[in-house]
């Protein structure tokens, strides 16, 4: 069992930080002392790896990521499409909307890959990851919404090239790594079912 002793919002801006005073039962019996944890509240997300089984290509995006400014020489990351779930939205709606907004691709079919906690030690955020069948013919260019400060470079990449980037560490976003590893394991099946 566990309990919240105290809860407060300590910051509200683009994101929200909440502070909890907690206790929980211990495996060996008894309860912990009251301890504090700050929790990053961001909302949950949906990520999609757009895959064209006919051309054997994935659609990847590249954009500036503030989280990389202190550790990356160049904080632009190659990733898969992703977006936050707005109130009242279903995961598959978000998958279709974000794929169109960020890459210009229309999803023809979706298969769920996984749903996971991004970093459960400090945030409630979960990410649902999907593979979306697309036609990558003519895909490319710059996409995104100006009012969300998105400047997204889009390219259709041979799956073999994406695998090279996965193996050499060029792809360093968790949802991208999870989705690409899953796709490499399921590629043959999808090429039979989706073509």
């Amino acid at each position: 069992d566990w309990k919240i002793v105290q809860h407060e919002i300590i910051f509200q801006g683009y994101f929200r930080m909440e502070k909890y005073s907690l206790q929980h039962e211990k495996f060996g019996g008894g309860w912990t002392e009251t301890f504090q944890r700050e929790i990053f509240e961001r909302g949950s997300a949906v990520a999609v790896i757009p895959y064209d089984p006919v051309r054997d290509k994935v659609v990847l995006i590249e954009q500036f990521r503030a989280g990389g400014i202190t550790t990356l020489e160049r904080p632009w990351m190659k990733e898969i499409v992703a977006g936050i779930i707005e109130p009242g939205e279903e995961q598959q709606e978000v998958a279709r909307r974000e794929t169109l907004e960020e890459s210009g691709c229309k999803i023809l079919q979706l298969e769920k890959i996984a749903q996971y906690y991004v970093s459960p030690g400090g945030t409630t955020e979960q990410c649902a990851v999907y593979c979306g069948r697309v036609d990558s013919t003519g895909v490319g260019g710059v996409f995104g919404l100006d009012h969300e400060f998105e400047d997204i470079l889009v390219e259709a990449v041979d799956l073999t090239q994406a695998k090279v980037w996965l193996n050499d560490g060029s792809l360093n976003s968790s949802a991208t790594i999870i989705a690409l590893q899953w796709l490499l394991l399921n590629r043959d099946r999808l090429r039979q079912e989706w073509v």
Side-chain angles (χ1 to χ4, degrees):
D1 201 9
W2 62 278
K3 62 184 172 183
I4 297 172
V5 177
Q6 186 177 354
H7 168 247
E8 62 182 305
I9 297 172
I10 57 176
F11 175 78
Q12 178 67 62
Y14 183 68
F15 300 118
R16 186 172 79 233
M17 290 291 292
E18 299 187 7
K19 183 176 182 179
Y20 289 87
S21 296
L22 305 162
Q23 290 183 308
H24 67 79
E25 285 185 301
K26 295 164 61 173
F27 290 115
W31 283 78
T32 64
E33 296 292 324
T34 300
F35 62 96
Q36 286 76 41
R37 290 292 182 267
E38 292 79 28
I39 302 293
F40 177 55
E41 289 288 351
R42 181 180 192 270
S44 290
V46 173
V48 181
I49 185 163
Y51 176 57
D52 182 338
V54 175
R55 300 177 71 218
D56 201 27
K57 290 182 180 283
V58 292
V59 177
L60 296 179
I61 63 174
E62 185 174 352
Q63 61 184 319
F64 179 85
R65 288 305 202 184
I69 62 175
T70 60
T71 55
L72 297 174
E73 183 178 317
R74 186 177 180 278
W76 279 261
M77 296 180 145
K78 287 187 185 299
E79 302 173 315
I80 60 174
V81 169
I84 299 298
I85 301 171
E86 300 296 337
E89 276 189 309
E90 297 294 326
Q91 291 179 358
Q92 292 193 1
E93 289 177 73
V94 179
R96 293 177 194 286
R97 173 177 51 81
E98 289 292 331
T99 301
L100 191 59
E101 284 177 9
E102 293 190 355
S103 72
C105 292
K106 181 180 178 184
I107 298 233
L108 305 171
Q109 197 167 344
L110 272 173
E111 183 168 329
K112 191 166 187 177
I113 295 172
Q115 183 162 329
Y116 66 96
Y117 282 91
V118 174
S119 184
T123 181
T124 59
E125 180 184 2
Q126 293 184 57
C127 184
V129 185
Y130 287 83
C131 183
R133 181 171 65 94
V134 298
D135 178 356
S136 66
T137 306
V139 166
V142 178
F143 288 82
L145 300 176
D146 289 340
H147 71 275
E148 292 184 7
F149 303 98
E150 293 177 329
D151 181 46
I152 300 169
L153 183 64
V154 177
E155 63 179 325
V157 178
D158 288 331
L159 188 56
T160 53
Q161 177 60 60
K163 183 179 179 182
V164 169
W165 288 338
L166 176 67
N167 290 334
D168 73 12
S170 297
L171 302 177
N172 51 12
S173 166
S174 60
T176 304
I177 293 167
I178 290 166
L180 190 51
Q181 288 178 338
W182 180 92
L183 180 56
L184 290 167
L185 290 172
N186 290 274
R187 172 185 174 233
D188 293 340
R189 176 181 61 82
L190 291 178
R191 293 194 83 190
Q192 289 178 0
E193 292 177 6
W194 283 2
V195 176

